[in-house]
Amino acid sequence: MRLLYLALSQATYGETLIGLSLADQLRAPGVSAHFVIPDSARASVEQHGFGCTTLDESAGPRVRELLADIVKEQQPDGIVLSDYFTYWSQLEKRFGTDPWFVHEFGVPVLPIDIWELQQSSFRIDVCGGPGQEIDPHIRRMPAHLRPVPVAHTVAGDAPGFPYRVIEPEGRLSGEERARVRAELGLAAADRLVMFPVSEWQQPPRGKRGMVTDMVHRLADGVPELIVRYLRGLPESTHVLVVGEPLAAFSEFPAERLHVLPKVPRERYHALLSSSDLIVSLSMAAMTVIRSLFLDVPALMISNSFTVRDEADAHAADRALGGLSPAVDRWLAAYGPIEPFRQWPKGAFAFQAPLWRDNAYATAIAQAELLDEKGVTALMERLLHDPQEQRERARARAEYVASVNALPPASTVVRRALATAQGEPVEIDR
């Protein structure tokens, strides 16, 4: 069997990695893969050992003919959209064409549905703006692949086929982990907090019309609070920032700050495995997903408060048991703010159905952005309190066991393809 993956994201590696991880799992059962990607993703795809064809948005509507040629050449048994939202938005917004010509090729199409869209409002709430409508075409597609983690391990509706998004990665030995930490200058008693940053989290500079002012303010302001909270930890705490550098981290003590650009896959795995805590501002970040399989604690920081005026600030103060003076000053400088689960854009209401009754959300520690005392205390417990660490490790292990109980990816994909072709299939649910 041969699959053609359309992974056209220009701004993030995450969607491409999701497709690559599926293709990696299918390689041993004899399923070959070819990727259609932007040129920026070529090195990553080739590093995984897969063939690829690059497409540039300058092709515009000619993308139809170009993809038709690729399909004719590759003769795939199925087309995988990695993922649905990215495919739709890239084709419509960057290539300027209706994305659903893909059905004209007569090949079953499987969208990877990260967000369980069937249960959503098909509208992403955007901080400070009217939101973004999502094309509901997926409702007409008979089979969807749902990556776990993040999706529920049991599908709640007929089109969804949950599958394990990545194979568990091998953990570093104690000696290897000690070597990586020594390279960063850590002593044995030091703790390492990793803060991954992706390109998509940075709104385009100098182009204020492309996203709301609130998104820009959150992009600038939230890292300042994160750095403040990290500075509240013991002096044995080091911070590792991998990805786009953020100006706010210049306020963290230089001798305990390690800022690295995008690093190769193996190096990233070593750094992630050698960390004591991952702090993330995006629940569905691939780094958080990988941390679960590597048994590295992860903390998700989000905001559930709308603070437009003094009355809203008082409400948040009461709910959190008191806002610190520093948070009060921060709100005066960067407010008004709205809820977000995906910094800095928003998606708080959009993602609510995804996290409801989802064990993934309980396997990760969570905290409120405006709760300085709560965030700092939780980070310190995750880094130093043996009882907290044992309880969190147990929650991670239970969740990972449920993920590992899913059928092999090859079985799930074959069943999904049969469903997409209209063939009856027995499905484990």
Side-chain angles (χ1 to χ4, degrees):
M1 184 165 67
R2 185 171 185 78
L3 295 178
L4 181 67
Y5 293 76
L6 307 185
L8 298 171
S9 175
Q10 299 276 348
T12 175
Y13 178 51
E15 286 83 0
T16 305
L17 180 58
I18 286 173
L20 286 168
S21 297
L22 177 58
D24 280 337
Q25 294 181 72
L26 298 177
R27 193 187 328 237
V31 181
S32 60
H34 188 87
F35 280 76
V36 180
I37 52 171
D39 190 64
S40 58
R42 178 193 289 271
S44 298
V45 173
E46 291 180 344
Q47 185 180 32
H48 282 254
F50 296 113
C52 63
T53 303
T54 60
L55 280 182
D56 187 88
E57 63 186 81
S58 62
R62 283 198 314 115
V63 68
R64 292 169 172 257
E65 290 75 27
L66 296 173
L67 274 177
D69 289 341
I70 295 169
V71 170
K72 185 177 180 180
E73 175 189 340
Q74 296 296 323
Q75 294 291 303
D77 298 289
I79 295 174
V80 178
L81 309 182
S82 183
D83 68 323
Y84 173 89
F85 175 83
T86 299
Y87 172 79
W88 159 71
S89 60
Q90 294 293 314
L91 267 291
E92 188 172 272
K93 301 179 188 307
R94 292 187 179 273
F95 289 89
T97 191
D98 182 345
W100 307 118
F101 68 86
V102 70
H103 296 297
E104 298 171 4
F105 302 140
V107 178
V109 179
L110 292 180
I112 295 179
D113 177 17
I114 297 173
W115 309 112
E116 294 188 0
L117 289 168
Q118 292 282 100
Q119 309 302 322
S120 80
S121 62
F122 284 92
R123 179 183 175 276
I124 301 177
D125 44 307
V126 176
C127 290
Q132 180 182 5
E133 302 296 329
I134 301 174
D135 188 335
H137 178 85
I138 194 171
R139 287 175 172 160
R140 296 158 55 190
M141 303 175 78
H144 317 155
L145 296 174
R146 291 183 177 167
V148 181
V150 173
H152 291 78
T153 53
V154 177
D157 54 76
F161 287 80
Y163 75 97
R164 187 170 58 196
V165 65
I166 57 173
E167 291 284 6
E169 301 172 86
R171 301 178 190 176
L172 296 187
S173 67
E175 293 78 8
E176 291 171 319
R177 190 172 186 271
R179 177 181 54 77
V180 172
R181 293 167 67 88
E183 290 172 356
L184 296 173
L186 274 68
D190 290 341
R191 297 291 183 268
L192 181 62
V193 178
M194 184 178 187
F195 186 79
V197 182
S198 297
E199 183 181 347
W200 67 264
Q201 292 173 307
Q202 302 305 298
R205 301 296 168 182
K207 298 181 180 179
R208 286 274 167 178
M210 295 184 68
V211 293
T212 68
D213 284 343
M214 188 181 294
V215 169
H216 278 284
R217 283 188 277 108
L218 289 170
D220 292 335
V222 169
E224 291 188 12
L225 276 185
I226 300 301
V227 169
R228 175 178 175 81
Y229 300 163
L230 290 169
R231 293 192 66 167
L233 297 174
E235 291 187 0
S236 59
T237 307
H238 288 237
V239 173
L240 170 65
V241 180
V242 181
E244 296 293 313
L246 301 174
F249 279 86
S250 64
E251 298 300 315
F252 195 83
E255 67 275 12
R256 295 189 284 124
L257 177 65
H258 314 273
V259 179
L260 300 176
K262 185 177 178 180
V263 296
R265 181 186 180 192
E266 293 79 6
R267 179 61 174 169
Y268 196 89
H269 171 255
L271 294 167
L272 175 56
S273 300
S274 302
S275 299
D276 298 294
L277 176 65
I278 309 302
V279 173
S280 177
L281 295 167
S282 176
M283 192 81 160
M286 183 58 76
T287 298
V288 174
I289 292 170
R290 293 171 68 183
S291 74
L292 286 171
F293 291 106
L294 293 170
D295 198 28
V296 177
L299 171 62
M300 168 66 190
I301 300 177
S302 58
N303 171 52
S304 63
F305 294 94
T306 297
V307 183
R308 299 191 184 93
D309 52 30
E310 190 172 341
D312 289 340
H314 285 316
D317 182 85
R318 291 191 299 272
L320 296 174
L323 299 181
S324 71
V327 170
D328 280 330
R329 291 192 298 271
W330 184 87
L331 284 169
Y334 290 102
I337 68 169
E338 293 177 2
F340 65 81
R341 300 182 203 266
Q342 195 170 13
W343 169 78
K345 188 172 184 179
F348 189 85
F350 169 70
Q351 291 186 16
L354 179 61
W355 305 131
R356 191 175 300 125
D357 299 322
N358 190 335
Y360 175 63
T362 64
I364 299 167
Q366 298 188 54
E368 283 283 349
L369 175 72
L370 302 182
D371 185 9
E372 177 172 5
K373 183 178 178 180
V375 173
T376 305
L378 180 53
M379 286 196 293
E380 189 157 358
R381 291 199 307 274
L382 289 167
L383 290 169
H384 298 284
D385 184 340
Q387 182 177 348
E388 182 83 24
Q389 291 168 345
R390 285 193 297 271
E391 291 175 356
R392 296 289 179 178
R394 183 162 47 251
R396 288 193 301 274
E398 290 175 356
Y399 177 68
V400 169
S402 70
V403 177
N404 289 338
L406 290 170
S410 58
T411 299
V412 176
V413 169
R414 291 180 189 278
R415 290 173 175 172
L417 277 174
T419 301
Q421 292 172 313
E423 300 175 9
V425 61
E426 183 179 339
I427 301 171
D428 295 332
R429 295 200 184 280

